[in-house]
Amino acid sequence: MRPTTHFVFALALGFAVVLPSAARAQSAEEAAALAAEEALLAEEEARLAAEEAATARDPSAPDPAPAHPELRPVLDQFGGRAGLDALMETFVAGLLADEAMRPFFENIDQDRLKGQLADQFCVILGGDCTYGGRDMRSSHAGLGINRAHFNRLVEVLQDAMDQHDVPFAAQNRLLAKLAPMHREVVTE
Amino acid sequence: MPFSHQGRSVLTLALAAGLAGAALPALADDAASATGGKLLLSGGVTQVEGAGGGGLTPWAVIGGYGTRDQIGGNAFYTRVGVDDYSLDSYGALVGFYDRVELSVSRQRFDTEAVGAALGLGRGFAFRQETFGLKVRLFGDAVLEQDSWVPQVSVGLQHKRNDQGGVLAFIGAQDDDGTDLYVSATKLYLAQSLLVNGTVRFTKANQFGILGFGGDRNDDLEPMFEGSVAYLLNRNLALGAEYRQKPDNLGIAEEEDAWDVFLAWAPTKTVSVTVAYVDLGNIVIADNQRGVYASLQVGF
């Protein structure tokens, strides 16, 4: 045998040994990428499902954000949409600081909550906002909320409104629209 | 009087319970609130005969700060000082599950100089014990803001006066009697206004201080009582009340009563009510006007 033949043979042999392991390595990488992609897809699906559930509405539940155009002046007393956004910072902080309220709010997306509350109040007070959240029955189902919990939340909200210098009469005009929600919120 | 001892011990017990209860929230204040779940002032204050309400008039609310899952209670002391008389009243109530209210109270009416003029002796006093029961039938005065239906309760107040001899002498037919009433209360939250109307079936003379029934009438008659209160803020309510009264005794004209009040509740455990009150003519003294002051502690 000529040395070149030897060399080619050796090379071929080397390839024969190396190539399959390289192919194996490549397919493992691919599998990992595929798995990651699948996980991402599943995650996205779960996120979409959660989003859908989060915005799902019980058709028999009352409108969670009935618009009251006549309350537009009250919205102004709250400082408009910006005032509501600022109010929710204080309100949600108050809920998390309250021993009785904290368990209901500590494990949820609080930024989302603040946004939805501001949207909801804004729509109720006749503002140009859209509430995309769930109805009050779906969003409170199974939470075991009793009258005392409901009233405690009102108190924390009153504290927040006081802190933001919302006039007492304006507070009551909003609360008068929220109070009947006890029928969907209180399940105990 | 045999009833006095019994009544006194019942009262002492109730007062002790009320005061012990007032101390409880300090312990139970944390979290899921086993007590005190109602909103501030939404249990009203305590009216002069011991029921949850305004100053003169029972309201449909169940006294104390208990929700339908809780028990509430309070104790009160009220003094009314008008031109020629004074009235002290104290007692306690317990509210069960925002449904039933039990109350017991004691009134002492001091005739001061009029007692001497009438030959009873200066400072002669009528004492009366009142046992109250109230049951909420339906409605929620506070939360049902999209409905016109008020909170409606029925109640009774059984009263026993300790001066049977004097009462018979002035023409009262009885030294005890029972008032029956129905109350409707509604908070118009958007207006920050609370309105109450009560119809009381009664033959009590001057709340029972001058006995029950008389030479002119000895039947229960419907009497109207009303209250309005404007909420100035969470802790303060300004209001007025009117209480129609029977006029059963030939020798002592009786007129309706009214007051203007300010109720202040800095916390759920304490409230102070002051009022300017007009009780009208009482026996030989006209235009009995003066100050009503009441302290309530509870939970």
Side-chain angles (χ1 to χ4, degrees):
Chain A
M1 261 191 223
R2 281 182 309 181
T4 31
T5 327
H6 279 179
F7 177 71
V8 169
F9 186 75
L11 207 66
L13 196 73
F15 267 120
V17 173
V18 171
L19 268 180
S21 71
R24 269 204 304 277
Q26 204 179 341
S27 75
E29 246 167 61
E30 259 167 35
L34 259 171
E37 204 171 305
E38 261 166 40
L40 267 174
L41 269 171
E43 209 170 279
E44 178 69 8
E45 258 168 45
R47 199 183 64 77
L48 283 172
E51 204 159 274
E52 200 181 304
T55 51
R57 290 202 181 165
D58 176 346
S60 68
D63 183 354
H68 294 276
E70 77 278 9
L71 293 182
R72 188 65 189 245
V74 179
L75 179 58
D76 295 337
Q77 290 180 287
F78 275 78
R81 170 71 203 215
L84 287 177
D85 285 328
L87 175 68
M88 293 320 158
E89 294 295 327
T90 309
F91 178 37
V92 172
L95 291 171
L96 294 172
D98 187 85
E99 248 178 285
M101 293 291 101
R102 191 185 310 122
F104 295 105
F105 296 97
E106 62 188 346
N107 293 320
I108 60 167
D109 180 345
Q110 282 137 26
D111 286 331
R112 184 187 165 90
L113 172 70
K114 288 173 199 168
Q116 288 193 334
L117 284 169
D119 287 340
Q120 186 186 27
F121 288 16
C122 178
V123 173
I124 290 172
L125 295 179
D128 304 318
C129 307
T130 309
Y131 173 69
R134 284 183 290 174
D135 65 86
M136 293 296 101
R137 187 178 296 154
S138 310
S139 57
H140 296 87
L143 294 180
I145 296 168
N146 64 28
R147 284 283 177 114
H149 292 131
F150 185 84
N151 290 341
R152 182 64 196 138
L153 179 131
V154 172
E155 290 169 349
V156 175
L157 177 57
Q158 286 178 313
D159 287 341
M161 292 189 291
D162 282 347
Q163 235 175 297
H164 286 260
D165 297 318
V166 178
F168 183 65
Q171 297 183 14
N172 288 344
R173 293 186 72 185
L174 171 65
L175 291 175
K177 299 301 179 197
L178 301 180
M181 293 178 182
H182 79 90
R183 289 176 214 133
E184 286 75 52
V185 172
V186 177
T187 53
E188 291 294 292
Chain B
M1 316 305 130
F3 80 81
S4 260
H5 289 103
Q6 198 187 1
R8 211 168 271 160
S9 55
V10 168
L11 193 63
T12 309
L13 199 70
L15 266 172
L19 288 168
L24 265 179
L27 305 169
D29 202 35
D30 57 308
S33 45
T35 60
K38 262 190 214 164
L39 293 167
L40 198 58
L41 277 174
S42 65
V45 293
T46 307
Q47 56 96 229
V48 70
E49 294 136 305
L56 292 174
T57 296
W59 292 353
V61 301
I62 299 300
Y65 283 107
T67 64
R68 66 186 183 190
D69 313 302
Q70 302 173 335
I71 290 173
N74 59 54
F76 79 102
Y77 173 78
T78 296
R79 182 171 176 88
V80 185
V82 290
D83 298 301
D84 297 295
Y85 306 100
S86 65
L87 173 70
D88 293 273
S89 181
Y90 60 94
L93 68 79
V94 182
F96 296 93
Y97 310 110
D98 204 27
R99 177 60 72 183
V100 174
E101 176 190 291
L102 293 177
S103 61
V104 55
S105 69
R106 189 173 176 81
Q107 289 80 44
R108 179 182 181 279
F109 184 79
D110 193 318
T111 60
E112 301 182 355
V114 175
L118 294 175
L120 295 168
R122 189 184 169 82
F124 175 84
F126 293 91
R127 290 185 183 81
Q128 168 179 285
E129 271 153 5
T130 303
F131 301 89
L133 166 70
K134 188 199 292 179
V135 178
R136 181 175 67 83
L137 295 184
F138 59 84
D140 184 303
V142 179
L143 293 182
E144 304 291 346
Q145 288 299 316
D146 56 352
S147 159
W148 61 270
V149 179
Q151 179 164 333
V152 175
S153 295
V154 291
L156 65 83
Q157 290 182 327
H158 177 67
K159 306 171 182 184
R160 302 173 184 182
N161 193 302
D162 77 338
Q163 295 291 358
V166 178
L167 297 176
F169 181 74
I170 62 170
Q173 302 298 302
D174 260 309
D175 59 4
D176 64 25
T178 303
D179 293 350
L180 307 171
Y181 64 86
V182 53
S183 287
T185 306
K186 179 91 189 153
L187 172 64
Y188 295 91
L189 186 54
Q191 287 75 36
S192 304
L193 199 68
L194 183 139
V195 179
N196 175 76
T198 296
V199 177
R200 182 193 296 260
F201 297 85
T202 182
K203 54 178 179 172
N205 310 316
Q206 300 292 2
F207 309 95
I209 298 298
L210 298 183
F212 303 84
D215 49 314
R216 296 175 56 177
N217 171 61
D218 191 31
D219 294 319
L220 295 177
E221 292 178 297
M223 293 287 146
F224 176 75
E225 304 176 8
S227 315
V228 288
Y230 181 71
L231 308 177
L232 295 166
N233 61 44
R234 262 202 273 175
N235 311 102
L236 207 57
L238 176 66
E241 292 184 292
Y242 170 78
R243 177 164 168 175
Q244 191 184 19
K245 295 188 290 175
D247 189 12
N248 300 331
L249 296 174
I251 65 152
E253 188 197 358
E254 179 166 351
E255 294 174 327
D256 301 342
W258 59 268
D259 73 70
V260 185
F261 70 86
L262 192 63
W264 178 56
T267 69
K268 288 182 188 176
T269 47
V270 70
S271 74
V272 176
T273 307
V274 291
Y276 176 77
V277 63
D278 183 342
L279 300 178
N281 179 73
I282 300 178
V283 194
I284 56 168
D286 265 335
N287 298 323
Q288 292 301 306
R289 294 173 185 165
V291 173
Y292 166 112
S294 182
L295 171 72
Q296 174 182 297
V297 293
F299 63 101

